[in-house]
Amino acid sequence: MIRPRHRIAALAGALAAVTTLVACGENTAGSGGDAGPPRPGGTLRYGLSGAPTCSDPAQSGTNQTIYVARQVVDSLTDQNPATGEITPWLAQRWEVSPDAKVFTFHLVDGVTFSDGTALTADSVRDTFDAIIRLGGVEAPLGVSYLANYVGTTAVDKLTARVEFSQPNAQFLQASSTPQLGILAASTNAKSADARCAGDNIGSGPFTYAEYKQDISATLAKRVGYNWGSAVFGHKGEAYLDRIEFTVVPESGVRTGSLSSGQLDAISDALPQDAPQIEATGGRILSTSNPGTPFGLQFNVTRGPLRDPAVRQALLPALDRQQLVDTVLGPQFKPATSSLASATPAYLDQSARLAYDPAKAKSLLDQAGWVPGADGIRAKNGERLSFAITFSQVFAGNQAVLELVQQQLRQVGVDLKLDLVSTPEAIARQNGKDYDSVYGNSTRADGDILRTSYALVGRNLNARGPIPALDQVLDQQLATTDTAARAALIQQAQREVLDNGLILPTVELSQAIGAAGHTQDLTFEASARLQFFDTWLSGH
């Protein structure tokens, strides 16, 4: 089986959260009516809308991958989804140096991996060192979170000191992500490919029982687990005995399987699915994703997108509310900035993104792009035409982009849709072989702008230096004062739009279909599911 060589962070990123108390979006997950006290046991059958790209939490990127991999790995910290507060998990407490270069974690005693070995400060060091060895192609998010990593010192068995050569204010929140989850020595010693085979050893509440790439994954309850996050709803072991994840790409098939009782929960329930789900006693659970919204991220070195005036003219050309109303439904929101509204330090730039096709046409007229006989503009013999490369990691992507295509044509822009497989999208990104790429990245911290737009790293815009943007992205890493850091992140949002690096479309939300007997499906702060507290009534 050929697996992707690079998980696409842009198509669904990871979680972290700032230490300030913030709300991370409405969370409507919960029980289906009054089912009484939780009952342990049973197997939850879950329908994924897409195949996990890799079983390794460190290499996970897409939502469907994280739903599976998150359950087998614990992190040093966790994030309260209601408040944004960083809370204990494997680390019972920590200290951060004033210059944000040194982070010292004091671990919970008695934690073991599923192979029986002890989780110690050495495990923290080995995990982070292994992520650096994986590199930015295989583990782009983890490597980004470990920017300027010097190393980890095991001060003693239960004290790990993580050091950076430059300030890294985002790291405490990053320590709550599955990408930086702590893994056993046997997993850390493996190659990137071997780590995707479904035998990853973590200390989490579930273990891999079976993993079939592109088909299914089965998790089994970890017997004896008793070191859950402070955010979890109960102590001790998970309630479920097993979770069976099956890949079901077709929305109608997922919905039909849920309504007929073949599945207990499904990903990406679309608005048209709601009546059928509710008619059989089910419900749709939703929450908004923090991070970057979905959007067209431009390669500013190719075609008409080289022209800054074109990129600016595209911003008012989209009717984003129509995208939501026509394709997605009320649990989604139009994008109003280069960060989603549930993200700490979000800056409302809805005025910059207001639908104004007359303004879009005027800007293009002023820049010398003249409509042709077919309505598509041209300048100096070059048509105002470019392609958008995307894959179906989110069920609504194609329908949204088809409507974007129609809206842009109304102002004289020819958008070509280039639907490819996830591995092909990865290859195109690595080679900068695209006009634009479509995706989002989930994280409850404004540092996701650095991951998405920094000159060093993925640089999906294929851009050269932009001093004003580069400076604020660097400065926010060196700023521990919450208010000052938020101001820098807000300035970075302005710079991203000022330079026309993205055409935002919609904010991602999770919409999970759940049967009436599926209780306490819980969203973590990254808007992904946490199954530790989930249980089945009537089994």
Side-chain angles (χ1 to χ4, degrees):
M1 183 70 64
I2 297 174
R3 70 176 185 86
R5 293 294 304 169
H6 175 189
R7 263 56 57 188
I8 310 178
L11 296 176
L15 156 73
V18 294
T19 53
T20 185
L21 302 186
V22 294
C24 292
E26 182 183 5
N27 184 331
T28 60
S31 298
D34 184 9
R39 306 174 194 172
T43 297
L44 178 77
R45 300 158 301 169
Y46 190 94
L48 297 166
S49 60
T53 55
C54 176
S55 65
D56 181 12
Q59 300 182 67
S60 64
T62 68
N63 286 324
Q64 308 310 304
T65 303
I66 294 171
Y67 281 165
V68 178
R70 168 82 275 185
Q71 317 311 319
V72 305
V73 66
D74 296 328
S75 297
L76 289 171
T77 64
D78 201 1
Q79 152 113 27
N80 187 314
T83 67
E85 180 184 10
I86 298 297
T87 62
W89 197 345
L90 294 176
Q92 57 185 329
R93 68 182 193 280
W94 50 84
E95 296 93 39
V96 180
S97 65
D99 61 3
K101 291 183 180 180
V102 181
F103 298 74
T104 303
F105 297 93
H106 303 273
L107 305 179
V108 174
D109 196 4
V111 177
T112 60
F113 294 106
S114 58
D115 63 0
T117 59
L119 189 152
T120 67
D122 288 341
S123 309
V124 177
R125 178 196 63 216
D126 294 347
T127 294
F128 293 166
D129 288 355
I131 290 170
I132 296 298
R133 289 196 303 273
L134 285 172
V137 171
E138 301 297 343
L141 292 173
V143 169
S144 173
Y145 301 156
L146 292 171
N148 301 305
Y149 177 71
V150 171
T152 299
T153 301
V155 178
D156 57 40
K157 179 182 177 183
L158 296 176
T159 306
R161 185 174 66 236
V162 185
E163 299 183 52
F164 301 89
S165 61
Q166 299 294 324
N168 197 5
Q170 58 83 41
F171 175 69
L172 183 61
Q173 353 136 278
S175 70
S176 71
T177 67
Q179 287 78 15
L180 295 189
I182 308 304
L183 294 164
S186 58
T187 295
N188 288 323
K190 292 182 177 181
S191 67
D193 283 344
R195 289 173 62 138
C196 287
D199 55 1
N200 315 82
I201 303 298
S203 65
F206 292 92
T207 63
Y208 282 111
E210 185 179 56
Y211 188 85
K212 297 179 179 179
Q213 182 63 45
D214 297 327
I215 300 174
S216 65
T218 300
L219 305 182
K221 176 167 66 177
R222 171 82 189 278
V223 176
Y225 182 89
N226 65 355
W227 45 83
S229 159
V231 174
F232 289 174
H234 75 280
K235 302 294 185 181
E237 301 174 357
Y239 293 127
L240 296 170
D241 288 335
R242 293 168 74 87
I243 308 173
E244 294 178 352
F245 293 96
T246 305
V247 180
V248 187
E250 301 84 4
S251 175
V253 176
R254 286 196 307 277
T255 300
S257 298
L258 178 66
S259 299
S260 66
Q262 298 175 68
L263 294 174
D264 304 301
I266 60 172
S267 290
D268 293 343
L270 299 178
Q272 59 265 32
D273 302 326
Q276 184 177 353
I277 292 172
E278 293 168 355
T280 53
R283 64 205 185 282
I284 293 180
L285 315 174
S286 65
T287 194
S288 297
N289 285 51
T292 59
F294 271 111
L296 288 72
Q297 197 158 340
F298 299 134
N299 181 338
V300 299
T301 68
R302 295 205 352 182
L305 295 173
R306 300 189 313 273
D307 186 347
V310 168
R311 304 198 301 270
Q312 288 300 316
L314 295 176
L315 296 179
L318 294 189
D319 185 346
R320 294 167 178 83
Q321 189 62 54
Q322 186 185 49
L323 299 179
V324 169
D325 294 343
T326 303
V327 178
L328 298 175
Q331 71 267 34
F332 289 82
K333 300 177 181 178
T336 52
S337 181
S338 52
L339 283 180
S341 56
T343 317
Y346 155 80
L347 177 68
D348 185 351
Q349 298 186 89
S350 54
R352 289 282 309 273
L353 298 175
Y355 180 48
D356 189 345
K359 179 180 179 181
K361 293 177 181 178
S362 176
L363 290 172
L364 291 171
D365 289 339
Q366 294 172 32
W369 293 90
V370 180
D374 61 354
I376 301 302
R377 295 171 181 265
K379 179 180 180 180
N380 299 327
E382 181 180 28
R383 280 171 59 85
L384 186 40
S385 176
F386 64 93
I388 174 68
T389 299
F390 71 103
S391 64
Q392 285 286 45
V393 293
F394 170 60
N397 278 355
Q398 183 166 352
V400 167
L401 288 176
E402 287 173 349
L403 188 49
V404 167
Q405 183 183 48
Q406 296 174 26
Q407 293 180 357
L408 291 184
R409 177 166 284 274
Q410 292 173 7
V411 300
V413 178
D414 176 31
L415 178 66
K416 299 180 183 300
L417 304 190
D418 187 14
L419 173 62
V420 299
S421 67
T422 298
E424 176 65 16
I426 290 165
R428 297 273 192 90
Q429 288 194 20
N430 288 343
K432 300 293 186 289
D433 182 20
Y434 51 82
D435 297 332
S436 63
V437 291
Y438 190 68
N440 82 302
S441 200
T442 295
R443 189 181 180 192
D445 186 84
D447 184 66
I448 195 63
L449 292 173
R450 179 181 61 89
T451 302
S452 300
Y453 296 104
L455 179 62
V456 178
R458 292 164 57 242
N459 190 8
L460 293 179
N461 299 113
R463 67 175 178 88
I466 303 175
L469 176 59
D470 296 334
Q471 183 177 11
V472 292
L473 291 178
D474 288 342
Q475 286 179 337
Q476 61 88 20
L477 276 183
T479 305
T480 56
D481 178 83
T482 301
R485 185 165 178 259
L488 291 167
I489 290 169
Q490 291 181 343
Q491 182 58 34
Q493 291 169 73
R494 295 187 187 96
E495 293 293 338
V496 169
L497 287 192
D498 286 348
N499 288 279
L501 300 182
I502 187 175
L503 178 61
T505 57
V506 298
E507 296 186 3
L508 177 64
S509 289
Q510 297 307 301
I512 306 299
H517 59 266
T518 301
Q519 311 296 333
D520 292 329
L521 270 174
T522 304
F523 292 114
E524 58 178 4
S526 63
R528 279 68 172 256
L529 289 174
Q530 178 266 100
F531 292 91
F532 178 78
D533 293 312
T534 305
W535 59 285
L536 301 173
S537 58
H539 70 83

